[in-house]
Amino acid sequence: MTIWEPTEKTLSNAAQILIKGGIVAIPTETVYGLAADATQSVAVEKIFLIKKRPSINPLIIHVPDPSMVNELAATDSRFHELTTVFWPGPLTIVLKQKAKNKISELVSSGLTTLAVRQPNHPVTSEILRKVQRPIAAPSANMSGAVSPTRATHVEDSIGQHVNVIIDGGRCKVGLESTVIDLSTDVPVILRPGVITQEQIGQIIGFVNLSSHDSDLPKSPGQLAKHYAPSLPLRLNAEEAREGEAFLAFSKAGKAAIDLSPSGNLLEAARNLFFLLRHVDKPDLYSSIAVMPIPEVGIGIAINDRLQRAAQLHGQESALHNHL
Ligand code: TXA
Ligand code: MG
């Protein structure tokens, strides 16, 4: 059995596995992560191998508290303001790395920056406190596939390659963290999430939102071949065609499967990856149709993931050939 219920003993054991260079799937409020000690290159390399992740796609460092970041990267007032408001929580911040930190060079794929986040999940907070080392953790799925929001999702895809999966229940946010780049003068959101451009702008002033095409060298994980189910996806669908699974939005109980019957975007974000997996059944359906999601607030992050998931089966970017 690779899934452990969280107890004082299993969390201590999980911490020991990480310290010894093992791989632990951890629950976070966003999605499950595939964790390794970021200071051990051999452990970090295992993450890339398990996920079949291109080595040019950097990993996020998870910390038990904001103060650990001071040893690793250059923090500024914007970092302190954002972490005061949003940490622990679904916000990843990209900073300039300190020249001689202990982080393996594999983590940032040779970039001079480092992405950091303090997740908000009691189980993983406890593991991070016990380990007291920076922990690298991408989403615990095969590269390009839909992120896991349940322990069983991890078990089904990469379960045999990890030392253990810690079951922290359903992920409450359900979408990966917002990624904001503070390594430049004008902050840029590299990946939208449930913490929105507006919310961040209220704290630190003007923030750019990176366009899909311009982020190629900065955030490779943001390209096509991501978040994709095995079935093709048809977006902005008003109704199902023959053979299609139908993901409704805001149908007030009139649809069998609805991202949010009441039209609540936070609820739709929470359900998105779970329901995409739920209907991804090639023996039952030929494709998945999804109703339009309003392009406002959290809807921007939902549409970002849907567009990338849909792209896999249509036009593929030049980068895809390298992946
Ligand atoms: O919610 C999350 O962030 C989850 C949980 C497990 O914490 N993690 C996650 O990791 O989504 P991953 O590896 O699936 O996505 C990390 C994203 C990628 O788009 C990657 O390119 C970007 O963060 N990233 C990491 N380091 C970066 C850096 N130094 N500069 C720019 N982008 C970076
Ligand atoms: Mg991912």
Side-chain angles (χ1 to χ4, degrees):
M1 187 65 174
T2 51
I3 298 186
W4 289 353
E5 289 299 318
T7 64
E8 179 58 31
K9 187 156 179 289
T10 59
L11 298 190
S12 293
N13 288 346
Q16 282 309 312
I17 292 171
L18 288 168
I19 288 166
K20 287 185 186 142
I23 305 294
V24 178
I26 54 169
T28 83
E29 79 280 32
T30 58
V31 300
Y32 276 75
L34 194 61
D37 178 353
T39 67
Q40 300 181 47
S41 288
V42 176
V44 174
E45 193 178 13
K46 284 185 202 163
I47 290 181
F48 283 93
L49 291 173
I50 292 171
K51 283 181 61 90
K52 294 198 171 40
R53 181 178 178 111
S55 60
I56 55 163
N57 192 359
L59 308 177
I60 296 171
I61 295 295
H62 295 63
V63 292
D65 54 76
S67 66
M68 188 184 272
V69 177
N70 294 325
E71 309 155 20
L72 310 174
T75 57
D76 59 11
S77 58
R78 300 172 304 179
F79 172 84
H80 293 294
E81 286 163 14
L82 286 176
T83 54
T84 303
V85 176
F86 296 116
W87 278 17
L91 181 69
T92 293
I93 303 178
V94 175
L95 300 168
K96 286 188 187 125
Q97 286 206 52
K98 285 205 168 151
K100 282 192 180 141
N101 65 24
K102 291 178 281 177
I103 305 284
S104 159
E105 284 187 1
L106 300 176
V107 166
S108 272
S109 308
L111 297 172
T112 54
T113 53
L114 189 70
V116 291
R117 144 169 146 82
Q118 182 190 0
N120 186 14
H121 191 294
V123 167
T124 286
S125 299
E126 187 56 26
I127 294 174
L128 292 172
R129 264 196 298 276
K130 287 180 189 297
V131 176
Q132 281 303 322
R133 295 185 191 185
I135 293 296
S139 51
N141 50 277
M142 295 299 288
S143 184
V146 179
S147 295
T149 54
R150 305 282 190 281
T152 50
H153 296 167
V154 183
E155 187 181 37
D156 292 346
S157 60
I158 55 175
Q160 79 262 38
H161 300 301
V162 302
N163 292 93
V164 66
I165 301 163
I166 307 294
D167 191 349
R170 300 173 173 204
C171 299
K172 290 202 172 112
V173 171
L175 272 194
E176 303 86 351
S177 58
T178 305
V179 179
I180 179 159
D181 188 353
L182 293 187
S183 73
T184 49
D185 287 341
V186 178
V188 185
I189 293 178
L190 300 177
R191 178 173 72 183
V194 302
I195 293 179
T196 61
Q197 185 179 12
E198 291 87 346
Q199 284 176 292
I200 294 172
Q202 278 166 13
I203 310 297
I204 57 167
F206 182 74
V207 192
N208 259 327
L209 184 62
S210 125
S211 78
H212 289 187
D213 298 329
S214 66
D215 59 356
L216 181 89
K218 292 229 88 174
S219 210
Q222 276 303 85
L223 287 160
K225 198 185 190 300
H226 261 81
Y227 315 109
S230 63
L231 286 174
L233 216 57
R234 186 167 69 86
L235 305 184
N236 300 316
E238 290 300 341
E239 54 198 31
R241 295 178 186 155
E242 203 183 323
E244 276 184 336
F246 189 60
L247 291 191
F249 175 73
S250 195
K251 291 286 263 185
K254 292 193 203 100
I257 304 178
D258 200 322
L259 290 161
S260 170
S262 66
N264 178 321
L265 289 170
L266 202 56
E267 181 180 39
R270 183 183 310 133
N271 289 331
L272 178 70
F273 289 154
F274 178 77
L275 290 178
L276 275 178
R277 279 174 185 269
H278 179 69
V279 297
D280 191 16
K281 295 180 177 136
D283 47 334
L284 289 182
Y285 307 111
S286 55
S287 61
I288 302 167
V290 189
M291 276 187 72
I293 308 292
E295 182 71 359
V296 290
I298 296 164
I300 293 172
I302 297 174
N303 285 325
D304 171 80
R305 305 307 191 276
L306 283 172
Q307 276 149 17
R308 290 173 206 287
Q311 260 182 44
L312 179 61
H313 299 278
Q315 285 182 335
E316 300 191 9
S317 75
L319 185 80
H320 181 189
N321 299 328
H322 299 288
L323 299 182

